[in-house]
Amino acid sequence: MERISFFFVLCHYESAWSIIGKRLGKDFLFLPQIVENDSLSIPPMLFYNKTISKEGTVLELYNKRMIQILELLTQNRKVLSSDQIALSIGVSSRTIRNDIKELNGILHAHGATILSEAGSGYYLNTEQPEAFTELMDQLHAEEEKDADTIIPSDPRDRAAYIMQHLLKNTLRNEEIIDPNDLADEVFVSMSTLKKDIRQIDKMLERFSLKVGISTKKGVHIIGSEANIRYCISEFIFKHNDARASRETGFFDDIVSEELFSQLHEILLETMKKYDMRLTDIAFKNLIVHIVIILKRSFHERRVDYEEAEIRQLESHMEFAAAKEVLAVIYHKLHIDITDEVYYLTQHLISSKKFLTTNFTDENEEYEFKKEIQAILYRIREDTNVDLSDDTQLINGLAVHLSVAVQRLRFHMNIRNDFLDYMKNNYPFAFELAVKASEIVEHVFSIKTNENEIGLLAIHFGAALERKGLNEKQKIFEAVIVCASGMATAMLMKERVKQFFQNRIHIVKTCPLYEVTQALIDSVDLVLTSVPVEAFHSEKILQTQLLLDDRDVRNIETFMTHHHEDSGYFKEIFREDLYFTNLKLKTRDEVLHYITDAMIEKGYMKEENKQSVFKREAMATTELGSMVAMPHSLENDMLEASVSVTILDKPIVWDQEKVQVVLLLNIPKSKYGMWEDVFKTLYKYLIRDFSVRRLAKGCTYEEFIRDLEYQRQGKE
């Protein structure tokens, strides 16, 4: 079958001047975009790659925004309005509606449709799951393949693109880029490029780096070698490129696949020889660092060490392993980087997985005993949670700190795939980790980071689970009724397990004639593929045998409706702390305004205010979807209070835009409510996309009502 390929790149009219007359290939066509401007924010450039058969079926498509829409509808098993989708993606509702029309023309041939429900919104209906999954896999493959070739038009995205370009260039033989060539590459004027570089300088501040730009020396990153390497690896890890695979894109055209394989084999053999235990992620991260060593050595860039640091590194067993790795690289690859032995040693030390004995005697000596005791004392004093008898936690902290302190001393980074999950699902555990990190910073005079805090949070999360202090998720007991025999009932049971995992426990499967009132009363939920006309109960839900998307949504709604009500929101969300339409421009302005207001009204002390700023400096409290939840590290007030601040326009908080700020002022005497308040707010604002509703003028009474309804699961 003959295929005709069309490629379209739509750019902003402002940038069109720089590409008119330029030919990037016979398959590329540049067109100026007429931009809808309902919020003074310019949407990102669109890129279409459609391959069309003679019958007109779209077989391939690449559009980042459309993929986001599909993922959002796939992950949320409920109806989403165009406003909710627009807020999550960052465009107008009209754009979303147009995108959905476009998407439906494509999805039709792949066993899926985006359906609309009058007055509610959109949901995804997958009639052919295998065909739809195949399409999504294809789209993601195209996205990964083309991510590095698409030039963003949004200033923030373009700055990130340029920074990646500069970081990659530090690993190439020629380190300096001509500024005119760079401006042409990203289709902007020189003045716009300089604005982008100022934005990049802000991104590089935490690494003590900046961008140098001149006609003579070109565009290049300026700073110490250790910080440049730290920045490169942090960028790779943050963008999930630490798998040490050339499929990730970062190392494409820099390092060959053959070299990756050789380094993998060399490192694996050495680790086995020295009986070093590494996690898969740590192992792959090491390969990334070795690649960085190899490429930076071409520029004769070296990390300098003090004599005391050298003596310390040479005392470790990992020093011998590092020497061997570099010796084998020299022997097999004929590349001499033996003077990088100290840099590789510190990474081996910081990556290894320790095996230690459990501590059973409180008098037993172990590494970092005093520090761990100080951490547990601080937690008990600040939160009234006593974890000092948890030997498993103590053991875990001792093992973790022995590696983490080394990483932090040498300004090394580590990838943490669980960071966002821990922050959003175990917020109390994360706060305990913040308190622990504060002790570590003070004792060792080092600076922690979010990734390290997130790893500590895993230990505290497990400890809280053992104590039974984490929020327990309700498990619904259910009966499955099926008129077609036990085989179909078991099939339905497997579908329930597939969608709801451990949230629903099937206690019985039975035919219709066995259903009694006593059976209905004994469980939380009755799922039936046939009408149960003899009984009337809200527990009875009739579904399709294989549970379609609507069935899943109905079950989710039922489960949400039957959560227990906390009933205390009016007590902690004070009406005099509900601020709307504030015209503030920076994060610090917002924090000063809120904390000063709380001090004036007697809800907070000056020391609590300082603690809010200190907490924010340790790890950002932005949550995405234009929400931030700042709070203090310690609080000795008598009553809990939460302020709600709605800005007239979004501001950049740390990395994300924020328009709704909730300052949680929860004293140690009431830390038990922390998890509940945080998760309720998270579900209401993030999961249910209620930020737009607040920004449009939600009153205090409406906000409280919405929270209570959300807690109860009411619509």
Side-chain angles (χ1 to χ4, degrees), residues 428-604:
F428 188 40
F430 192 85
E431 289 311 303
L432 299 187
V434 170
K435 295 178 184 296
S437 297
E438 191 182 16
I439 299 289
V440 171
E441 287 189 354
H442 175 73
V443 172
F444 299 103
S445 300
I446 53 181
K447 179 68 177 159
T448 59
N449 55 61
E450 273 198 321
N451 282 327
E452 293 288 357
I453 294 172
L455 291 173
L456 274 174
I458 296 173
H459 294 282
F460 288 110
L464 293 175
E465 290 284 0
R466 290 190 290 272
K467 281 277 188 183
L469 296 176
N470 272 330
E471 183 184 62
K472 299 295 184 182
Q473 188 176 49
K474 178 176 173 61
I475 299 175
F476 286 77
E477 293 191 337
V479 168
I480 289 178
V481 180
C482 189
S484 304
M486 293 304 296
T488 51
M490 293 305 296
L491 179 59
M492 189 172 176
K493 181 179 179 179
E494 289 302 315
R495 293 289 284 180
V496 172
K497 286 176 62 178
Q498 177 185 344
F499 285 112
F500 299 98
Q501 298 178 351
N502 298 324
R503 297 166 60 196
I504 295 179
H505 173 56
I506 307 299
V507 297
K508 184 181 178 67
T509 59
C510 67
L512 180 60
Y513 68 84
E514 291 186 4
V515 176
T516 64
Q517 189 61 52
L519 178 63
I520 297 173
D521 293 340
S522 69
V523 295
D524 301 302
L525 180 61
V526 177
L527 300 175
T528 175
S529 60
V530 293
V532 183
E533 297 175 348
F535 303 94
H536 299 282
S537 172
E538 63 176 357
K539 295 181 180 181
I540 301 173
L541 295 182
Q542 187 173 344
T543 70
Q544 300 294 319
L545 180 63
L546 296 179
L547 298 188
D548 61 18
D549 291 346
R550 185 180 293 273
D551 294 330
V552 173
R553 290 198 306 275
N554 289 338
I555 296 171
E556 283 280 12
T557 300
F558 177 89
M559 293 167 67
T560 306
H561 283 182
H562 290 78
H563 268 294
E564 297 178 1
D565 182 20
S566 63
Y568 55 52
F569 289 121
K570 261 203 167 183
E571 298 177 11
I572 58 176
F573 290 88
R574 314 293 175 126
E575 187 170 6
D576 57 348
L577 294 177
Y578 191 83
F579 309 111
T580 62
N581 201 38
L582 290 189
K583 296 176 173 57
L584 303 171
K585 296 182 179 179
T586 68
R587 177 187 66 189
D588 286 357
E589 283 185 20
V590 174
L591 291 178
H592 277 297
Y593 183 94
I594 301 172
T595 53
D596 287 344
M598 296 184 83
I599 291 172
E600 182 183 344
K601 299 175 187 296
Y603 297 117
M604 181 180 283

Side-chain angles (χ1 to χ4, degrees), residues 594-619:
I594 301 172
T595 53
D596 287 344
M598 296 184 83
I599 291 172
E600 182 183 344
K601 299 175 187 296
Y603 297 117
M604 181 180 283
K605 298 177 181 177
E606 180 64 33
E607 52 263 37
N608 302 135
K609 172 181 176 177
Q610 299 306 317
S611 184
V612 169
F613 281 87
K614 188 176 182 179
R615 167 62 181 84
E616 194 66 43
M618 295 189 70

Side-chain angles (χ1 to χ4, degrees), residues 163-164 167-168 170-171 206-207 228-245 248-252 254-255 260 284-285 287-292 295 413-417 451:
M163 188 171 81
Q164 175 175 332
L167 290 174
K168 290 179 70 171
T170 64
L171 304 176
R206 68 187 185 98
F207 302 101
I228 289 175
R229 294 185 183 189
Y230 176 37
C231 184
I232 294 170
S233 57
E234 181 74 4
F235 186 91
I236 295 170
F237 300 158
K238 188 175 181 180
H239 292 78
N240 296 320
D241 284 336
R243 292 168 289 176
S245 168
T248 61
F250 188 88
F251 289 117
D252 282 352
I254 296 177
V255 181
F260 264 105
K284 294 170 182 178
N285 287 355
I287 297 178
V288 169
H289 284 292
I290 294 173
V291 170
I292 293 172
K295 304 310 293 186
N413 50 6
I414 187 170
R415 180 178 169 216
N416 182 1
D417 290 332
N451 282 327

Side-chain angles (χ1 to χ4, degrees), residues 32 40 68 81 129 168 210 234 244 259 297 366 405 445 499 515 535 638 656 671 699-700:
L40 299 179
Q68 287 177 308
S81 69
K168 290 179 70 171
K210 63 179 182 179
E234 181 74 4
L259 180 57
S297 69
Y366 52 88
V405 170
S445 300
F499 285 112
V515 176
F535 303 94
L638 296 177
E656 305 285 341
Y671 247 89
T699 66
Y700 170 76

Side-chain angles (χ1 to χ4, degrees), residues 160-179:
Y161 176 91
I162 294 171
M163 188 171 81
Q164 175 175 332
H165 189 35
L166 293 175
L167 290 174
K168 290 179 70 171
N169 216 59
T170 64
L171 304 176
R172 295 190 175 102
N173 292 338
E174 179 53 56
E175 196 173 349
I176 294 175
I177 306 172
D178 183 275

Side-chain angles (χ1 to χ4, degrees), residues 19-254:
I19 56 177
I20 291 175
K22 292 192 177 193
R23 184 182 179 95
L24 297 186
K26 64 179 182 179
D27 294 324
F28 286 85
L29 173 66
F30 290 93
L31 300 172
Q33 181 182 359
I34 305 299
V35 181
E36 67 177 44
N37 191 2
D38 55 0
S39 62
L40 299 179
S41 62
I42 302 175
M45 176 174 59
L46 304 177
F47 175 88
Y48 292 85
N49 174 359
K50 298 180 181 179
T51 304
I52 305 175
S53 70
K54 285 184 176 181
E55 287 78 13
T57 302
V58 178
L59 302 175
E60 295 177 318
L61 167 131
Y62 173 53
N63 181 298
K64 184 177 180 180
R65 190 172 67 233
M66 291 184 179
I67 293 176
Q68 287 177 308
I69 294 172
L70 287 175
E71 288 182 334
L72 197 61
L73 292 172
T74 302
Q75 294 165 5
N76 289 271
R77 298 279 180 179
K78 63 179 182 177
V79 177
L80 298 179
S81 69
S82 56
D83 282 351
Q84 292 171 334
I85 300 171
L87 176 64
S88 180
I89 294 176
V91 296
S92 71
S93 300
R94 187 171 66 178
T95 297
I96 295 299
R97 290 192 293 271
N98 291 335
D99 283 349
I100 288 175
K101 290 179 183 177
E102 176 90 12
L103 272 170
N104 270 331
I106 298 155
L107 293 173
H108 179 72
H110 297 276
T113 311
I114 299 174
L115 301 176
S116 60
E117 213 170 75
S120 297
Y122 300 96
Y123 64 94
L124 182 67
N125 183 46
T126 52
E127 299 171 353
Q128 302 175 36
E130 291 183 0
F132 178 73
T133 301
E134 185 180 349
L135 173 66
M136 292 301 294
D137 290 342
Q138 186 179 358
L139 295 179
H140 286 304
E142 289 295 318
E143 184 179 26
E144 288 186 5
K145 182 174 67 176
D146 295 319
D148 291 338
T149 64
I150 301 168
I151 311 299
S153 59
D154 179 79
R156 293 184 68 198
D157 292 340
R158 188 172 60 244
Y161 176 91
I162 294 171
M163 188 171 81
Q164 175 175 332
H165 189 35
L166 293 175
L167 290 174
K168 290 179 70 171
N169 216 59
T170 64
L171 304 176
R172 295 190 175 102
N173 292 338
E174 179 53 56
E175 196 173 349
I176 294 175
I177 306 172
D178 183 275
N180 292 307
D181 291 342
L182 182 58
D184 286 344
E185 181 180 341
V186 296
F187 308 124
V188 298
S189 64
M190 185 58 65
S191 62
T192 300
L193 178 64
K194 289 180 179 179
K195 289 180 182 178
D196 290 342
I197 287 175
R198 287 196 291 271
Q199 180 65 32
I200 295 170
D201 280 338
K202 292 180 182 179
M203 298 162 69
L204 293 174
E205 275 182 0
R206 68 187 185 98
F207 302 101
S208 300
L209 302 172
K210 63 179 182 179
V211 178
I213 178 170
S214 68
T215 305
K216 186 177 182 180
K217 294 187 177 181
V219 186
H220 59 288
I221 294 177
I222 301 173
S224 73
E225 180 62 18
N227 288 339
I228 289 175
R229 294 185 183 189
Y230 176 37
C231 184
I232 294 170
S233 57
E234 181 74 4
F235 186 91
I236 295 170
F237 300 158
K238 188 175 181 180
H239 292 78
N240 296 320
D241 284 336
R243 292 168 289 176
S245 168
R246 298 190 72 252
E247 297 176 0
T248 61
F250 188 88
F251 289 117
D252 282 352
D253 73 21
I254 296 177

Side-chain angles (χ1 to χ4, degrees), residues 573 629 662 664 677-685 707:
F573 290 88
M629 287 193 204
L662 299 109
L664 277 59
V677 172
F678 183 99
K679 287 190 173 183
T680 299
L681 288 169
Y682 182 85
K683 291 174 183 176
Y684 170 63
L685 292 168
L707 280 186

